[in-house]
Amino acid sequence: MARISAGIATSHVPAIGAAVDLGKTQEPYWQQMFAGYDFSKRWIADNMPDVVFLIYNDHASAFGMESIPTFAIGCGESFDIADEGWGPRPIPKVMGAPDLAWHIRQSVIQDDFDLTTINEMDVDHGLTVPLSLLFGQPEAWPCRIIPFAVNVIVYPPPSGQRCYDLGKAIRTAIESYDQDLDVQIWGTGGMSHQLQGERAGLINSEFDLKFMDDIIERPGELAKMPHKEYLRDAGSEAIELVMWLIMRGALNERISEVHRHYHVPASSTAVGHMILDNS
Ligand code: DHB
Ligand code: FE
């Protein structure tokens, strides 16, 4: 049977992707931010999954006002890299895991969560920056990836509670797949940030560090936090953190923290990163 070996959380700031692609990771602005991923790159080389179930949000690259799925699962064979205005990033395309993705889709929909099925879409920085942070710059990504897109762009986003419960349904789905696969769940986006308006640049480290503690120890309580608290306390784009709750919902009640990194700022964002062992 397939099993979930670990959960990984990480922010996804687009400037991080540009720093990797342009060879700037050792420049003074970036050095500390990237240093927090050195351990993670070694860890994942020793703990390489067969498949990453990667929860992210699209930023008007694949979806726009013409279609806004709340939850969309990528069931295709492969996914091209989106052009976000400067041409697609020079990175390998993303190879999917269609058979497992279709199984998850079937199980989760029958568990009362409506998923949109996507066979063709381009993936943007929400998905590709986490890949670069964990895998560096390989010729091909070292495992299969199932993209799972969550709408946190057009109001209303799904609640933290719904995301946490969805994670549990995803776990049931993965654990009922009859192939012996090692699957990691990645929850991406966040932490505190606001990109526009009077409060642009807002960061709340106290909120972020408590969120990291709570997601380990008190995820059920954390899931109850309403949207407006993310917005008020941690900025409008902090709502991306509900995607960490999907990841957490798919893990055991008790997990152990393997690694934590927190760095302010990267562009306008507080970068948070955790590796959570689910064995
Ligand atoms: C930034 C952060 C994001 O989450 C995003 O999607 C775009 C930009 C930033 O900090 O620049
Ligand atoms: Fe974002």
Side-chain angles (χ1 to χ4, degrees), residues 224-260:
K224 296 192 181 101
M225 179 160 57
H227 294 144
K228 63 182 178 203
E229 276 184 41
Y230 290 86
L231 188 88
R232 186 190 65 207
D233 295 346
S236 47
E237 275 69 46
I239 193 62
E240 290 177 346
L241 285 169
V242 293
M243 296 183 290
W244 292 31
L245 281 166
I246 302 178
M247 177 271 295
R248 183 64 181 93
L251 304 181
N252 298 335
E253 209 163 300
R254 291 259 142 242
I255 47 169
S256 55
E257 180 175 336
V258 177
H259 179 61
R260 183 191 292 210

Side-chain angles (χ1 to χ4, degrees), residues 12 57 59 125 193 195 237 240:
H12 68 211
N57 70 290
H59 302 74
H125 70 269
H193 64 306
L195 299 177
E237 275 69 46
E240 290 177 346

Side-chain angles (χ1 to χ4, degrees), residues 132-144:
S132 298
L133 282 168
L134 272 295
F135 295 136
Q137 294 177 288
E139 294 265 302
W141 300 118
C143 61
R144 299 268 166 173

Side-chain angles (χ1 to χ4, degrees), residues 2-78:
R3 68 201 172 279
I4 298 171
S5 56
I8 294 184
T10 180
S11 306
H12 68 211
V13 181
I16 294 174
V20 172
D21 300 342
L22 299 172
K24 296 186 171 186
T25 60
Q26 294 313 307
E27 290 191 357
Y29 181 83
W30 289 111
Q31 197 272 334
Q32 257 193 307
M33 200 287 308
F34 282 102
Y37 288 84
D38 288 345
F39 170 86
S40 312
K41 287 190 180 134
R42 291 193 302 273
W43 180 88
I44 205 158
D46 293 338
N47 295 276
M48 190 59 71
D50 299 300
V51 181
V52 170
F53 187 88
L54 202 158
I55 302 147
Y56 77 109
N57 70 290
D58 175 81
H59 302 74
S61 303
F63 309 121
M65 292 312 287
E66 67 285 355
S67 57
I68 308 167
T70 296
F71 299 120
I73 185 164
C75 292
E77 282 286 348
S78 66

